[in-house]
Amino acid sequence: MQKAPQKLPLDGIVVIDLSHVYNGPYATFLMAMAGAEVIKVEPLGGEHLRSRGDMGGADLPFAMLNSNKKPVTLNLKEAAGRALLTELVQRADILVENFAPGVMDRLGVGAAQLLEINPRLIYGSSSGYGKSGPYRDYPAMDLVMQAMCGVIDSTGYPDQPPVKAGAAICDFMAGIHLYGAIMTALYERTQTGQGRVVEVSMQDATFASLASNLGMLHARGDAAPARTGNRHGGLGISPYNVYPTVDGYVVLNAPGDRHFYAILDVIGCPELKNDPRFANRSARVAHTADVDNLIESWTRKMKKDEVAERMLNGKVPCAPVRKLQEVLQDKNMHARGSLQTVDHPLLGSVVLPGSPLVFEGVERRPIEPSLPLGASNDQIFGEWLGHSAEELAQLRAQGVI
Amino acid sequence: MQKAPQKLPLDGIVVIDLSHVYNGPYATFLMAMAGAEVIKVEPLGGEHLRSRGDMGGADLPFAMLNSNKKPVTLNLKEAAGRALLTELVQRADILVENFAPGVMDRLGVGAAQLLEINPRLIYGSSSGYGKSGPYRDYPAMDLVMQAMCGVIDSTGYPDQPPVKAGAAICDFMAGIHLYGAIMTALYERTQTGQGRVVEVSMQDATFASLASNLGMLHARGDAAPARTGNRHGGLGISPYNVYPTVDGYVVLNAPGDRHFYAILDVIGCPELKNDPRFANRSARVAHTADVDNLIESWTRKMKKDEVAERMLNGKVPCAPVRKLQEVLQDKNMHARGSLQTVDHPLLGSVVLPGSPLVFEGVERRPIEPSLPLGASNDQIFGEWLGHSAEELAQLRAQGVI
């Protein structure tokens, strides 16, 4: 007998998503891909990311983070808009927002009010510095948070100014932590019957990722360099660096002696296993320049993919430094369904991510491309909440939806 | 009438934690701080992070990630060790591991076997490239993953070699995604009564954080620079940079005209609001060098905290580029309880993180410092599983625990 197709884990869960740009929308994207119904509530002009196209290309980020969501418009500055939000919240399990702290309260739809309307609601919010604490009202964006959290000072070469991490790590760290906090509260609700307010700050969410750097600071005090370029954050492993090749760069990392001996075999210098400069990790760390020169003299003559292939065959932790064009074509992620080529109605053929959360034994939810502003107004406000076509027309005329 | 003190959300949940170093241990740290009982199962020699002290300082990272866990030793290469694991699994809700794919199966304690023993178990694993896909057996470490995922190529100055992000973002992104996946399955279990296998890869978990860079690539194609130093990833905002001060650096970001006008007021040049080079965002982007010179000529004369204070008073997104020493003393995180000064029995007085997941209305779980290897053997194997002192002595003699 054939098994019935499994449902996705969040099947039946309804999410009201008031969030914008990266951090909240990433959390609700993961909910959508895990099976939840996500209603994306935007102001009449659309959330910031829709209108940011002129800031260097926000079309693809919007598409990446808003698959499988149902976008509706709602003017929360109008009483009728807040009334509609209340109707949504009555039928929802989860509400997500990443406004600055206090914004929802000032609109009259703060957590306390909404939990009174629906005591089973999980109200999740994220912000730069959190809802408590003296920095709560500081403006927060990824660059600013990278500076405050120590990411910038930890990145770059010791003899050069610090540089930001290219990835928007504070934004996305907050988004995925918010997802985790909300899921925890959703589980808790099954035990207590009660909803809860959860919150995450970008600052808190980023801290742990600096564990290696904090570890070196603890061990060496002020003698610890703030940043180590491409060398190990604790300056405790060699080789560990980015090396030039004919057509770009590779990284190599030999945490153990066996990795280094494998490198010597790959580059055809097995006799150097007896060289006292390279005998063990501490010796190699003390002779890092020699180690790096040895490896570089070999990598310089080859293409990066060739270096990586030979090293990986020798079980050496190695990778080409890939350009994003190459990342988008990654064979592994496409094979796993983590990247999919999607025919997007606005963008044409694009590569979009599925969810990194893999639930074995159930098919991944197929990517449904992001929709235009307000595309689901009729479905959500009409069919789902039961407002008539006349009512919707009036709400439109009044600038409510 | 006084309310009874609320329980933490994961109260009553038992986690068997076989994970090591950063990625799995971060997930189980969050579980512990959310109220779960986390049994940290280590090989007799301790997990890698315990023995990595000579690699540049792993003592603090170990303490950061292993608060509130109960460490036991267990030799899974012995049949008696696997039998004890089976006993633990029978009483557990969650098992977490981040071995290379296939290791648990080869030991005879793979997900399929363990779910047969306990069909309600959530079995969560994370790895570099995931359990499926052609790269599954490649060695994976944070540096290697940063190269593969495009983080390295996206970081640094356009006219210089790429540089890794100082934070171990691939490791921690995987860890927190794993937490989210497991919580999702834990909720699902309350609906289905069934456990589940979930998995996360570092590669999948990192992808979305490059949204801005991918957006610029989509918008500009091969004309997009791989990296932009400290400038906006999409080169669509100005000012947006790191600026030198007397005693370090600050970051400034003016996404809107109002932010830029506020900067002009702060630096005492309100007349420049009428300068056509600075009239709007596109004009400023076209005259970025002028914008940066203007700001730098002011910041160079001041201390970083003074610049930040004045700019923040003007509601400009700004921050000092803080050293980790400063981050550890962050007033906001200490006020929120996200950082706490703890008297650690091995390390003395250290600053350790609480959980970034804030559940409002319930007290944070106090940090209980990390314990020595096997410190909870008697409690877990003796009191909890019910083995006698003689049995434990025998298991010790046989090298099982």
Side-chain angles (χ1 to χ4, degrees):
Chain A
M1 206 175 77
Q2 224 182 343
K3 273 194 196 173
Q6 275 208 334
K7 287 177 179 173
L8 283 157
L10 297 184
D11 188 70
I13 293 293
V14 174
V15 180
I16 309 300
D17 177 12
L18 293 162
S19 71
H20 58 282
V21 189
Y22 288 163
N23 149 351
Y26 186 58
T28 56
F29 165 70
L30 299 180
M31 292 175 202
M33 300 314 281
E37 169 98 314
V38 176
I39 300 168
K40 182 178 176 75
V41 179
E42 297 177 76
L44 301 201
E47 66 126 313
H48 294 326
L49 198 59
R50 280 198 197 265
S51 57
R52 251 206 200 170
D54 64 333
M55 279 200 199
D59 288 344
L60 185 72
F62 188 88
M64 283 172 63
L65 300 179
N66 292 288
S67 300
N68 300 66
K69 298 184 187 173
K70 296 196 158 66
V72 301
T73 49
L74 200 51
N75 183 351
L76 294 178
K77 290 175 183 162
E78 295 284 340
R82 294 191 293 274
L84 272 179
L85 179 65
T86 300
E87 290 181 46
L88 292 174
V89 163
Q90 279 165 341
R91 297 162 190 233
D93 299 281
I94 294 166
L95 181 142
V96 179
E97 56 92 0
N98 61 335
F99 294 115
V103 167
M104 291 288 283
D105 290 312
R106 285 197 292 277
L107 285 167
V109 287
Q113 286 105 315
L114 298 183
L115 270 141
E116 209 157 288
I117 290 163
N118 177 0
R120 287 176 55 81
L121 185 71
I122 316 293
Y123 181 108
S125 57
S126 72
S127 60
Y129 297 98
K131 290 200 228 169
S132 64
Y135 299 172
R136 119 186 185 132
D137 295 322
Y138 287 178
M141 287 155 186
D142 191 75
L143 177 76
V144 166
M145 298 312 303
Q146 285 200 27
M148 284 297 272
C149 294
V151 174
I152 292 186
D153 203 54
S154 305
T155 302
Y157 295 95
D159 56 351
Q160 287 179 31
V163 67
K164 76 177 160 80
I169 63 179
C170 299
D171 255 329
F172 281 91
M173 274 294 201
I176 173 63
H177 278 83
L178 181 61
Y179 178 87
I182 290 172
M183 288 300 114
T184 310
L186 189 64
Y187 162 74
E188 183 190 30
R189 190 181 76 172
T190 65
Q191 307 301 301
T192 63
Q194 296 291 314
R196 182 184 281 293
V197 181
V198 300
E199 74 133 338
V200 161
S201 79
M202 292 164 79
Q203 191 183 28
D204 292 353
T206 305
F207 182 82
S209 67
L210 289 156
S212 292
N213 320 69
L214 290 162
M216 185 163 65
L217 177 64
H218 177 81
R220 302 197 187 184
D222 290 339
R227 48 195 171 274
T228 60
N230 283 310
R231 294 187 57 201
H232 181 239
L235 292 180
I237 302 178
S238 175
Y240 183 113
N241 215 335
V242 166
Y243 299 92
T245 69
V246 168
D247 61 345
Y249 300 87
V250 293
V251 297
L252 261 183
N253 172 10
D257 291 341
R258 69 186 167 92
H259 300 112
F260 184 68
Y261 296 159
I263 292 172
L264 292 178
D265 287 333
V266 170
I267 69 177
C269 306
E271 72 283 1
L272 292 176
K273 290 175 196 173
N274 300 320
D275 190 315
R277 293 172 300 166
F278 307 141
N280 53 46
R281 205 174 58 222
S282 352
R284 289 192 299 275
V285 167
H287 298 91
T288 289
D290 292 346
V291 171
D292 283 347
N293 285 337
L294 175 70
I295 292 173
E296 196 177 316
S297 65
W298 187 80
T299 60
R300 275 200 180 281
K301 296 173 198 151
M302 243 171 289
K303 293 195 170 179
K304 64 182 182 179
D305 286 339
E306 195 186 347
V307 171
E309 197 190 331
R310 291 215 210 174
M311 289 290 174
L312 286 169
N313 283 341
K315 306 223 179 287
V316 177
C318 178
V321 174
R322 286 156 136 202
K323 296 180 185 305
L324 291 180
Q325 290 91 328
E326 296 167 297
V327 173
L328 285 170
Q329 302 309 322
D330 181 86
K331 280 181 197 157
N332 194 58
M333 289 180 75
H334 279 278
R336 282 165 62 73
S338 308
L339 289 179
Q340 296 171 39
T341 304
V342 173
D343 194 15
H344 191 286
L346 291 175
L347 307 182
S349 174
V350 284
V351 173
L352 294 177
S355 173
L357 313 184
V358 178
F359 303 101
E360 284 190 12
V362 52
E363 291 281 319
R364 277 173 188 261
R365 186 171 183 179
I367 291 175
E368 296 160 21
S370 57
L371 293 171
L373 184 63
S376 305
N377 279 357
D378 287 347
Q379 187 193 350
I380 299 300
F381 298 134
E383 292 168 37
W384 196 53
L385 293 186
H387 292 280
S388 66
E390 292 75 39
E391 288 175 289
L392 295 187
Q394 203 181 346
L395 290 167
R396 277 197 185 92
Q398 292 168 338
V400 174
I401 65 172
Chain B
M1 208 174 74
Q2 224 183 343
K3 272 192 194 172
Q6 275 210 336
K7 288 178 179 170
L8 283 158
L10 297 184
D11 187 70
I13 293 293
V14 174
V15 179
I16 309 301
D17 177 12
L18 293 162
S19 70
H20 59 281
V21 189
Y22 288 163
N23 151 352
Y26 185 58
T28 56
F29 165 70
L30 299 180
M31 292 175 201
M33 299 314 282
E37 169 99 314
V38 176
I39 300 167
K40 181 178 176 74
V41 179
E42 298 178 75
L44 301 202
E47 66 126 313
H48 293 327
L49 199 59
R50 283 201 196 262
S51 57
R52 251 207 200 170
D54 64 333
M55 279 200 200
D59 288 344
L60 185 72
F62 188 89
M64 284 171 61
L65 301 179
N66 293 288
S67 300
N68 300 65
K69 298 184 186 175
K70 295 196 159 65
V72 300
T73 49
L74 201 50
N75 183 351
L76 294 177
K77 289 176 181 161
E78 294 285 338
R82 294 191 292 275
L84 273 179
L85 179 66
T86 300
E87 290 180 47
L88 292 173
V89 163
Q90 279 165 342
R91 297 163 189 230
D93 299 282
I94 294 166
L95 181 142
V96 179
E97 56 93 0
N98 63 334
F99 294 113
V103 166
M104 290 287 282
D105 289 312
R106 284 197 293 277
L107 285 167
V109 288
Q113 286 105 313
L114 297 183
L115 270 141
E116 208 157 288
I117 291 164
N118 177 359
R120 287 175 56 80
L121 184 72
I122 316 294
Y123 182 108
S125 57
S126 71
S127 60
Y129 297 97
K131 290 200 229 170
S132 62
Y135 299 172
R136 115 183 190 137
D137 295 323
Y138 286 179
M141 288 154 184
D142 191 75
L143 177 77
V144 166
M145 297 313 302
Q146 285 200 26
M148 283 298 271
C149 293
V151 174
I152 293 186
D153 203 55
S154 305
T155 301
Y157 295 95
D159 56 352
Q160 287 179 31
V163 67
K164 75 178 162 79
I169 62 180
C170 299
D171 255 328
F172 282 90
M173 274 293 200
I176 174 60
H177 278 82
L178 180 61
Y179 178 86
I182 290 171
M183 288 301 115
T184 311
L186 189 64
Y187 162 74
E188 182 190 30
R189 190 182 75 173
T190 67
Q191 308 301 302
T192 63
Q194 295 291 312
R196 182 184 281 294
V197 180
V198 300
E199 73 133 339
V200 160
S201 79
M202 292 164 79
Q203 190 182 30
D204 292 352
T206 305
F207 182 82
S209 68
L210 289 157
S212 292
N213 320 68
L214 290 162
M216 184 164 64
L217 177 64
H218 178 80
R220 302 196 186 186
D222 290 337
R227 50 195 169 273
T228 59
N230 283 310
R231 294 187 57 201
H232 181 239
L235 291 179
I237 301 180
S238 174
Y240 184 114
N241 215 335
V242 166
Y243 299 94
T245 69
V246 168
D247 62 344
Y249 299 88
V250 294
V251 297
L252 262 183
N253 172 10
D257 291 341
R258 70 186 166 92
H259 300 110
F260 184 67
Y261 296 158
I263 292 172
L264 292 179
D265 288 333
V266 171
I267 70 176
C269 305
E271 73 283 1
L272 291 177
K273 290 176 194 171
N274 299 319
D275 190 315
R277 292 173 301 167
F278 307 140
N280 54 46
R281 203 174 60 224
S282 350
R284 290 192 299 276
V285 167
H287 298 91
T288 289
D290 292 345
V291 171
D292 282 348
N293 285 337
L294 174 70
I295 293 173
E296 196 176 316
S297 65
W298 187 80
T299 60
R300 275 200 180 281
K301 296 172 198 149
M302 240 169 291
K303 291 195 171 180
K304 63 182 183 179
D305 285 339
E306 194 187 347
V307 172
E309 197 189 332
R310 292 217 209 173
M311 289 290 174
L312 287 168
N313 283 340
K315 305 223 179 288
V316 177
C318 177
V321 173
R322 286 156 134 204
K323 297 182 184 304
L324 291 180
Q325 289 92 327
E326 296 167 299
V327 173
L328 284 171
Q329 302 309 324
D330 182 86
K331 281 181 197 157
N332 195 58
M333 289 180 74
H334 279 278
R336 283 164 62 73
S338 308
L339 288 180
Q340 296 171 39
T341 304
V342 173
D343 193 16
H344 191 287
L346 292 176
L347 306 182
S349 174
V350 284
V351 174
L352 294 177
S355 173
L357 312 184
V358 178
F359 303 101
E360 284 190 11
V362 54
E363 291 281 319
R364 278 173 187 261
R365 184 171 185 180
I367 291 174
E368 296 161 20
S370 57
L371 295 170
L373 183 63
S376 305
N377 278 358
D378 287 348
Q379 186 192 351
I380 298 301
F381 297 134
E383 292 169 36
W384 196 53
L385 292 186
H387 291 279
S388 67
E390 292 75 40
E391 285 175 294
L392 296 187
Q394 202 182 347
L395 289 167
R396 277 196 184 92
Q398 292 168 340
V400 174
I401 65 172

